[in-house]
Each structure stands twice: as C-alpha cells, then as structure tokens.
Amino acid sequence: MKNLVSIFGGHDANVSFYHTDKNKYYSIEIERLVQKRYFRLHVDNDAASQFRILNECQKIAEERWGIKNDYEAVLICSDGFVEIDPTQVFNTEKVTTVARHHQTHASAAFYMSPFKEALIVSYDGGGDDGHFNVYSGNSEGITLLDDITSDFGGGYLLCGSLVREVAEKSRHQLALAGKLMGLCGYGKPIEKHVPAFHEFFFDRDYRKLAFLTKLPFKNIDNPWKNPLDNWIFEGQEAYDIAATAQEGFERAFFSVLNRYDTDIPLILTGGCALNVLVNEKVKEVYNRPLYVPPNPHDGSLSLGHLFLYKKPDHQVDITYAGLPLTDYDELETYIDKYSATKVNKRDIAQLLKDGKILGLVYGDSEVGPRALGNRSIVCDPNIADMKDILNSKVKFREWYRPFAPFCKKEDAHKYFDSPNFENLEYMSYAPRVKVDTLPSITHVDGTARLQTVTEDSHKEFYELLTEFGKISDTNVLLNTSFNIRGYPILSSIKDALYALNNTQMDYVVIDDYLFEK
Ligand SMILES: [Fe+2]
C-alpha cells in the first residue's frame, strides 16, 4: 500500500499523513503554518494560496517525516472541501470521501484512545451529519447510535456573545466559547434562568431564550450576523449570565448522557469536549474510564478520516506529531548569532526558581489548541503574583482567564483533587486545587486545568520537574502557550526569538540551547 494524505479545509483546517512503511501518522494544523487562528483553507484564499499551502505541507511531510509524494489516495472531508484539484499537489489517481463530520470526529478520538470498546459522544457547533452524535466504537468500527437535535457549540458561542468582556476581547467568533468558560467561574448561576438556557442548547432559539428569561437581548432577528456585537451584559450581571449558561449546558449534556449504559468506557470529542468543566463533572458523576483527545476540535478531522479509510492496527499517539519548526535548518545560524549556550534541566529549573519566564521549544508541535510542552511558556507558580507578572510582561491575557499547571502524574494527588488522574496529559479537565500556595494557577472557582506528565508522555517536562522538585517544596510549574500576541502557537525559531525580543520574557530554550535577548 502507498501512503495516504487527508485534508480538512474548514475552520481549524488540517492535513494528515499516513506513512505506510513506518505505520505512523502525522498532522499539520494549517493555522500554525500560516499563523492565522482558526484558518480556513477552502474560503478566504485564492487558488494560488491553496496550492502554495498544500505544497508546503507536502514539502514538510517529505523532508521531515520521509513521506514520499506517492499516495494511494487523497481523502477530502465531506464538509471541509478544497476548491482546487488536490492531485495537482499530491500524486495519486484517487480522490475520495468516505465519511462525514461527526463520524470523523468519533473515529479520530476512538483510535487515539486506549479503549477497544467505547461509547463515543461527538458534539460541537455542527457538521454535515448533525451536532451531537452518539456512537459505539468497537472492533467492527464506529456505529451511529443517535443523532440528538441540538446545537451545544453554537448555543454556547452565542451565550459568550452576550458578555461584554468576552465579546470585546474576541477577534473571532470561535474565540467566544473558551473565554466564556474562563469567565463563568466569577459568577453564580441564576437558577430561574437555568431551565431556559438548558432548552436553548437543544433548540438554539435565541428569540425564545430572550422571551423566557425576559432578558434584553439585541440583534434578536439575526444574532449570527456579527456575534461580537451581541453583548448586553457586563460586570457581575454578565458573570452570572456566564455561569448560568455553563450550568444550563451541563444539565443539558447530562440529560442526554444519562440515557446511556454507563458500563463501557466513554469518549468525549467535538469542539464542546474542550469544555473542561463538563469533562471534570463527567469524571465525577460516572465511575467509568473516560478519554478526551488532545485535539477534539475540528483540527483532528483529517486524521479521523484517515482512520476510517484504513483502520489503525494500534493505538495512535498523535500528540507530538504536529508541525515541525519551519526554519529548523537555520538553528545553527541562530545559535551562532545569539551565542546560545547548552543548558541542562537543572539549569532551567534554577532559572524558573529565580523567577525567570522561559519559552521552551522541543521537537515537532503538539496537536490541538493547548500547548503541552513543545511550544510552551513556563514559569514558577509558587512565586506570589506570578499570574500578574506573566500577564504584564509576556502574555497580556484577559484578567479572568486562568493559567494551567503541570506536575508529575505521581505527584498530582498531593496538590489536586480528582476522582482519578487518568487522561490528564492534555489539559482536558479541571480538578480542584488542594493547596493554597499556588494562586497563579488556581482559578477563582478553585480548579486548575492540570496537565500531568510522565516520562512517556513528555520526557523534557518530566526531567525538568525532577530537577525542580529538588529545589522547590511544591513541584508544580505553570505552562501557557508560546505564541506572539494575537497569533496561534508559534512554529518557527524566528517567531520564538521575536517573542523573546519583543516581550519581557527572560529566555528561550530551543533543543537545549539557551537564547538570551
Ligand atoms: Fe466539529
């Protein structure tokens, strides 16, 4: 069999590759390559740009991963099409589509999970086969059980659009949901409105929500025209609306999930599986194995399509098989230019202990929206006010958004409270923080979006924690995404050093080389 390549052209566009000889998978999220968040390939770009981007993906795949331009087929997702003829980029005689949106989500998550059999929920703002689909996954493949009429993703986005501090800080409507989730910790659910919000996630009837709650919504006839203009709430009232939306979301979610058998493992995917508050509650409510992949959003669709075309014969770990540094071959030149010196993990741990803020870059990128150690900014959350220092010097984030901690998996129980510490490698849950010495990573609701680390999951972070633990009583560090302000997670040495020189970040480490300003 020859190699396979798969393209999803919708928002969070991505291209995945299967190297047949190595039996390995790789995935490029195009937003990282072009440095535009939520990038869509199939619109907003002329044909020349689409050719250029796909040619660039093939060049990277060939040079970095040894994937020859000789394919059995190129797969095109059914609702993430491309407007150009892909055979002009990828050498193949076959262009095909074998599955639709949520089936593809379900497949991506199932074959990344450790389970042989699972109930799979895929829910988001919609695809060409529904909004909230429930599947069974087993040795036979993926089978649709139910297609629930709803729009949890679109509904949650619209709830975010009601809040000034969310809408005004979002450059793109797809940024609304994540910000709303951060803000809702500051509010309390307004109980009398919760049932109306609960219903809203099923019918997404904006006018009806306004009528039932008697809240003064604007743009009532077309809230989708410009969601960033819908906001009407601010201050504490807005935080309470945010909390009410989250509460309604959770109750709506469990009203569906409670219908299913709870004996077999559960997988959550689709963009809504980025809601760490729901994920944590699922862990608390159901005593069953649970898996959320690192990339439940549309960034995993091309990969899921590959799995449906050719079923994997092993559990696929794609976590750190993303876009390589695009200028990696210039590393030596940069080392010379900056007189960069080699450092070990003990040196890095000491710099962190001294209060320094470091950008760390290792290997190929992590997949998914969260930095998981290969493109991360790291500092010591044991230092008082570290959140404010990080925000004022480097990140400039909204005040209400929390920063995430990471610690060794075997240490997690010392600092965090959770029914178990499985599947925490991707920041997909929000366990409670048990200690009061880590305010920089403790959200206002007492939770943290923890990433646990093992030697297998992230060797560099594990070694760093081993050294940091020798000089710190609390062996927890802070991890946030390494990007240039307003841009996606960065993908070049050039951008990493631009960030070093244009913020008050102290150092950048690339492949064990320490770069100073
Ligand atoms: Fe999706």
Side-chain angles (χ1 to χ4, degrees):
M1 187 185 173
K2 295 177 181 178
N3 299 323
L4 292 169
V5 58
S6 175
I7 306 168
F8 174 74
H11 65 71
D12 301 305
N14 45 94
V15 180
S16 292
F17 298 88
Y18 173 63
H19 191 311
T20 189
D21 292 340
K22 290 187 191 165
N23 195 14
K24 283 186 78 170
Y25 299 84
Y26 306 88
S27 196
I28 295 175
E29 286 160 281
I30 297 175
E31 68 159 33
R32 308 275 170 86
L33 188 64
V34 302
Q35 285 291 300
K36 282 185 191 161
R37 285 215 72 184
Y38 312 113
F39 185 79
R40 296 182 295 187
L41 187 65
H42 66 11
V43 283
D44 310 334
N45 298 289
D46 55 21
S49 300
Q50 294 184 41
F51 275 119
R52 184 176 47 74
I53 290 164
L54 292 178
N55 272 313
E56 180 75 13
C57 289
Q58 174 53 37
K59 185 164 173 273
I60 290 165
E62 191 150 355
E63 288 178 359
R64 180 73 181 180
W65 301 318
I67 298 172
K68 290 210 177 72
N69 193 347
D70 183 17
Y71 293 98
E72 174 176 312
V74 50
L75 312 181
I76 307 290
C77 289
S78 56
D79 63 349
F81 55 90
V82 288
E83 289 170 329
I84 59 169
D85 175 3
T87 64
Q88 291 188 32
V89 176
F90 302 108
N91 294 323
T92 183
E93 291 180 356
K94 186 172 175 186
V95 179
T96 186
T97 298
V98 298
R100 294 166 73 188
H101 191 100
H102 285 282
Q103 193 183 4
T104 315
H105 268 307
S107 146
F110 182 58
Y111 294 108
M112 282 189 267
S113 83
F115 308 139
K116 298 268 182 276
E117 184 186 14
L119 185 77
I120 308 164
V121 172
S122 173
Y123 69 136
D124 62 16
D128 58 352
D129 57 348
H131 292 73
F132 189 135
N133 289 7
V134 183
Y135 298 87
S136 95
N138 54 39
S139 58
E140 303 290 307
I142 311 282
T143 309
L144 179 68
L145 301 177
D146 282 306
D147 170 352
I148 313 287
T149 302
S150 65
D151 186 358
F152 280 59
Y156 199 75
L157 186 162
L158 280 185
C159 291
S161 80
L162 296 170
V163 175
R164 178 177 185 163
E165 273 154 310
V166 169
E168 283 195 338
K169 296 288 182 185
S170 297
R171 298 178 192 207
H172 193 293
Q173 67 182 51
L174 292 175
L176 291 165
K179 293 186 200 299
L180 182 70
M181 185 172 68
L183 193 66
C184 68
Y186 289 85
K188 281 205 164 50
I190 307 163
E191 194 53 46
K192 67 178 178 186
H193 293 331
V194 172
F197 277 87
H198 175 150
E199 266 183 54
F200 179 61
F201 292 110
F202 290 103
D203 59 25
R204 214 198 63 203
D205 187 334
Y206 196 66
R207 179 181 288 278
K208 191 181 110 192
L209 181 65
F211 174 77
L212 289 175
T213 56
K214 301 187 175 51
L215 292 170
F217 288 11
K218 66 175 181 176
N219 301 330
I220 197 106
D221 291 323
N222 190 4
W224 288 103
K225 189 176 176 197
N226 177 13
L228 303 185
D229 179 52
N230 290 345
W231 68 265
I232 45 165
F233 300 112
E234 50 191 323
Q236 191 58 48
E237 187 182 22
Y239 314 154
D240 291 344
I241 289 292
T244 308
Q246 177 69 27
E247 182 69 23
F249 186 98
E250 291 176 12
R251 289 193 202 170
F253 176 83
F254 283 105
S255 75
V256 177
L257 259 285
N258 284 339
R259 299 175 204 167
Y260 294 90
D261 186 357
T262 57
D263 287 343
I264 62 167
L266 177 64
I267 293 171
L268 304 179
T269 191
C272 291
L274 292 169
N275 193 312
V276 297
L277 303 173
V278 176
N279 296 351
E280 184 67 23
K281 287 221 169 115
V282 171
K283 198 169 240 197
E284 285 166 12
V285 169
Y286 303 124
N287 179 24
R288 64 198 293 188
L290 179 60
Y291 178 78
V292 180
N295 50 356
H297 67 327
D298 287 359
S300 65
L301 290 176
S302 61
L303 187 70
H305 207 172
L306 280 183
F307 296 163
L308 286 165
Y309 182 86
K310 181 185 180 295
K311 198 188 294 183
D313 59 9
H314 61 287
Q315 182 188 347
V316 177
D317 185 358
I318 195 78
T319 315
Y320 298 98
L323 180 66
L325 286 171
T326 52
D327 54 359
Y328 190 71
D329 55 359
E330 293 171 45
L331 179 59
E332 290 295 331
T333 308
Y334 282 111
I335 289 170
D336 288 346
K337 188 176 167 191
Y338 280 75
S339 302
T341 51
K342 272 218 155 187
V343 282
N344 57 32
K345 297 299 184 298
R346 196 172 76 179
D347 302 329
I348 297 173
Q350 190 59 54
L351 289 171
L352 294 169
K353 182 74 179 161
D354 292 342
K356 305 299 184 194
I357 299 172
L358 276 72
L360 303 182
V361 177
Y362 298 107
D364 294 350
S365 182
E366 51 275 79
V367 298
R370 288 156 184 159
L372 298 172
N374 279 14
R375 307 282 185 267
S376 289
I377 291 171
V378 174
C379 57
D380 179 5
N382 296 283
I383 295 169
D385 303 326
M386 200 57 192
K387 180 179 172 180
D388 295 337
I389 296 167
L390 182 60
N391 261 331
S392 65
K393 285 187 163 184
V394 182
K395 284 295 283 189
F396 316 105
R397 247 185 177 186
E398 298 85 358
W399 59 270
Y400 54 84
R401 290 178 63 201
F403 286 109
F406 65 100
C407 73
K408 288 187 177 183
K409 184 178 180 184
E410 60 265 34
D411 289 342
H413 69 280
K414 296 182 200 166
Y415 314 117
F416 303 94
D417 209 356
S418 186
N420 62 65
F421 291 98
E422 298 307 314
N423 187 220
L424 287 172
E425 300 90 349
Y426 318 129
M427 296 185 185
S428 305
Y429 301 88
R432 296 199 73 74
V433 184
K434 274 163 72 169
V435 296
D436 58 8
T437 52
L438 296 167
S440 300
I441 55 87
T442 307
H443 197 33
V444 65
D445 60 2
T447 66
R449 205 171 62 189
L450 174 65
Q451 176 190 9
T452 59
V453 178
T454 65
E455 214 163 355
D456 279 344
S457 76
H458 201 276
K459 188 166 166 283
E460 308 288 351
F461 264 12
Y462 192 84
E463 290 174 359
L464 178 58
L465 285 164
T466 297
E467 293 302 327
F468 190 70
K470 294 175 185 170
I471 53 174
S472 174
D473 291 337
T474 304
N475 197 8
V476 177
L477 286 166
L478 183 156
N479 171 14
T480 186
S481 54
F482 194 2
N483 59 340
I484 294 174
R485 191 178 180 187
Y487 290 86
I489 290 176
L490 54 79
S491 295
S492 66
I493 300 168
K494 179 168 159 268
D495 284 353
L497 297 176
Y498 177 90
L500 174 67
N501 290 320
N502 290 278
T503 67
Q504 294 180 64
M505 178 186 287
D506 296 293
Y507 299 98
V508 163
V509 175
I510 303 172
D511 268 8
D512 294 334
Y513 283 92
L514 184 75
F515 291 79
E516 297 184 46
K517 282 181 202 296

